[in-house]
Amino acid sequence: MLSAIDKVRIAVLASGGGTNLQALFDAEDNGILKSGSIELVISDKPDAYALKRAEKRGVKSVLIERKAFPSAAEFEAEIINTLKANDIELIILAGFMRILSPEFTRTFENRIINVHPSLIPSFCGKGYYGLKVHEAALDYGVKITGATVHFVNEIPDGGKIIKQKAVAVLEDDTPESLQKRVMQQAEWIILPEAAEEVSLNIINTRNDFLRKGN
Ligand code: GAR
């Protein structure tokens, strides 16, 4: 078992209810997430319940509001500084409702993952977030939807896919009922699994580096 000091230091960025954040906390408790440790939660919304969840857990939480900064670049710079000051090695976007700039994504290449509530490349990219994704899926009439965890690059929802899970659409689904089922049957399962997979890879890369005598 890894000691706390060897685990990958994870930050979760969340704007809303934080049920995916909770799934990550639960995964630490039930041993699914064992190679990483959630050390920091950042939110851009003062009323985000995700902040409360962090507080209850005793995890450091920081509010960084866009309106506190004159430009998007300065807002992002504050997030980057906070991540660096806390020695964060992996960033998880769990319902973070902002598109990060290419400068940001390049700063943490292959170190940012995101959960999206559809089977990418369907219903993704700019404008597809939260309930809107499920409204679009129902309007289109798809019979299967799901969730995707992917690396974040400069293309919104365009980075390499890590995990996906399909969920059936039911005849009488509303956007709300579909959102709930996609969370329960897909997001809360594949996000912790992906967090573990990526954390383990980061640890293995560290060990390779040490083995090569650096
Ligand atoms: C989740 O369904 C997540 O996939 C989605 O927002 C919800 C956040 O819920 N994210 C996006 O749409 C990003 N494009 P939560 O705050 O309860 O985890």
Side-chain angles (χ1 to χ4, degrees), residues 45-101:
K45 296 273 181 261
D47 53 353
Y49 193 66
L51 288 170
K52 279 266 164 352
R53 292 184 195 271
E55 197 182 303
K56 279 192 193 163
R57 176 102 181 163
V59 167
K60 181 171 179 180
S61 62
V62 180
L63 169 67
I64 303 178
E65 283 185 277
R66 168 66 185 87
K67 68 173 188 215
F69 299 89
S71 67
E74 284 155 285
F75 164 70
E76 282 196 350
E78 179 67 18
I79 300 179
I80 292 173
N81 288 340
T82 307
L83 293 166
K84 289 190 170 169
N86 286 279
D87 297 320
I88 295 302
E89 301 172 273
L90 174 63
I91 300 156
I92 300 182
L93 307 183
F96 188 63
M97 298 304 180
R98 288 186 181 274
I99 292 177
L100 297 167
S101 72

Side-chain angles (χ1 to χ4, degrees), residues 99-137:
I99 292 177
L100 297 167
S101 72
E103 290 69 35
F104 191 107
T105 57
R106 271 199 295 268
T107 307
F108 299 101
E109 206 178 350
N110 292 322
R111 293 299 183 95
I112 314 174
I113 68 173
N114 176 49
V115 61
H116 183 77
S118 75
L119 293 174
I120 290 176
S122 290
F123 313 117
C124 64
K126 206 165 180 280
Y128 287 101
Y129 57 87
L131 267 185
K132 287 182 195 290
V133 179
H134 304 291
E135 280 161 12

Side-chain angles (χ1 to χ4, degrees), residues 138-189:
L138 290 176
D139 283 350
Y140 211 97
V142 292
K143 304 302 173 211
I144 294 171
T145 184
T148 304
V149 180
H150 61 93
F151 283 107
V152 174
N153 64 10
E154 67 285 359
I155 303 159
D157 297 325
K160 198 169 179 341
I161 290 171
I162 304 163
K163 274 189 181 282
Q164 285 190 308
K165 193 163 187 289
V167 174
V169 178
L170 303 182
E171 206 61 49
D172 57 354
D173 260 330
T174 61
E176 290 78 9
S177 68
L178 187 55
Q179 178 182 53
K180 194 168 168 202
R181 211 164 51 259
V182 167
M183 283 176 157
Q184 287 172 336
Q185 295 184 3
E187 296 184 48
W188 300 342
I189 298 165

